[in-house]
Amino acid sequence: MEQLLLAWYRRHGRDLPWRGTHDPYAILVSEVMLQQTQVERVVPRYLRWLERWPTAAALADASTADVIREWQGLGYNRRAVNLKRAAEIVASSGWPDDLTELPGVGPYTAAALGNFAFGRPVLPVDTNVRRVQERTRHKFGPASSQALMDLGATVCLARIPRCGVCPLGAGCPSRGARFEPLRRQSRFEGSFRQRRAHTLRLVAERPCSTTKLDAEVVAALAKDGLVSVGSSLVTLGSG
Ligand code: SF4
């Protein structure tokens, strides 16, 4: 099954810019961006980010305010602050053996970074990979990770898999099955997340008076290091 998958990947794998590198910093940037943002939206932002800050040292030297501004539009802005903190650690003391010691790096991101950058024999299991493994009931090895991600993203889709074009169809016990719709992501409109995004956008443009902003949102943003609250003004970054 693994060989069929890899042969399919050689012909149909997605050509994504972070796949052409083993630079751990570049891969960390891509993985953090991909945590909660779709691939198509990440590609141009990843390229722009690396042009602006090509190394961990360059990002470590950047101001937090600039980093948050550059992140605008990708959502979940806390990731930008964590990425900068991670770059500071790497720039001053190198990559830790346990990659989860870096801010914003959980077990999945550590596995992806370990595999794609450091060649470690671990399979990063995201939702696409998990789905393909569950449906095929096959345990794939670390060399198949990119191929599994692509198969899950383009063929073995969540609700209606495209079994007719699947390279694993002949041996897959789930071939032809249909699946329940996934739980929808909670609405962004009117949510606390939207209020956070709106307030951060205002502060990113220029420092704002505390009295003009939503106090609850400002407190949450400050806790995440996205803004600093002075006596009368709220400014971008943690000061
Ligand atoms: S045959 Fe269908 S269910 Fe099985 S892995 Fe392929 S796309 Fe998924």
Side-chain angles (χ1 to χ4, degrees):
M1 216 173 229
E2 202 125 7
Q3 291 312 316
L4 290 171
L5 176 68
L6 292 173
W8 171 86
Y9 179 66
R10 282 193 287 277
R11 291 192 59 199
H12 300 284
R14 294 174 296 178
D15 182 17
L16 301 171
W18 44 88
R19 290 193 174 161
T21 180
H22 292 290
D23 172 11
Y25 165 70
I27 289 170
L28 178 64
V29 172
S30 72
E31 288 299 332
V32 172
M33 287 185 173
L34 289 165
Q35 281 169 357
Q36 276 134 332
T37 310
Q38 289 170 338
V39 170
E40 307 75 54
R41 283 177 60 212
V42 165
V43 169
R45 303 298 299 269
Y46 163 86
L47 294 171
R48 202 168 88 184
W49 188 280
L50 284 190
E51 215 174 288
R52 186 164 184 185
W53 298 302
T55 61
L59 182 59
D61 281 347
S63 79
T64 306
D66 280 348
V67 171
I68 297 168
R69 261 190 216 103
E70 184 65 45
W71 194 271
Q72 292 279 286
L74 284 169
Y76 296 96
N77 297 282
R78 200 180 324 173
R79 291 182 289 167
V81 176
N82 281 335
L83 187 53
K84 175 167 161 54
R85 288 185 187 141
E88 287 167 0
I89 292 170
V90 169
S92 67
S93 19
W95 293 89
D97 281 342
D98 178 359
L99 295 164
T100 61
E101 286 172 9
L102 296 172
V105 175
Y108 170 76
T109 304
L113 192 55
N115 182 328
F116 305 148
F118 297 108
R120 293 184 189 165
V122 282
L123 179 73
V125 180
D126 68 358
T127 46
N128 286 326
V129 173
R130 183 172 303 111
R131 187 165 62 245
V132 177
Q133 296 218 103
E134 282 172 5
R135 289 180 181 172
T136 55
R137 295 188 206 139
H138 187 81
K139 206 165 165 2
F140 291 86
S144 294
S145 54
Q146 308 271 27
L148 283 172
M149 283 173 193
D150 283 11
L151 192 78
T154 63
V155 176
C156 192
L157 305 174
R159 284 186 56 198
I160 307 180
R162 301 168 60 217
C163 302
V165 296
C166 179
L168 310 181
C172 177
S174 309
R175 185 187 166 96
R178 292 289 178 269
F179 299 86
E180 289 296 312
L182 290 175
R183 192 168 48 85
R184 282 178 175 275
Q185 205 185 20
S186 55
R187 273 165 59 93
F188 180 68
E189 216 51 46
S191 66
F192 193 64
R193 211 150 62 78
Q194 187 191 32
R195 283 161 58 199
R196 277 176 63 111
H198 174 69
T199 302
L200 194 64
R201 232 183 349 262
L202 292 178
V203 179
E205 277 167 20
R206 68 184 70 85
C208 293
S209 161
T210 42
T211 55
K212 297 223 165 83
L213 297 172
D214 181 330
E216 190 190 0
V217 170
V218 168
L221 292 172
K223 188 161 167 266
D224 290 340
L226 289 161
V227 301
S228 328
V229 185
S231 53
S232 59
L233 285 180
V234 179
T235 52
L236 199 59
S238 49

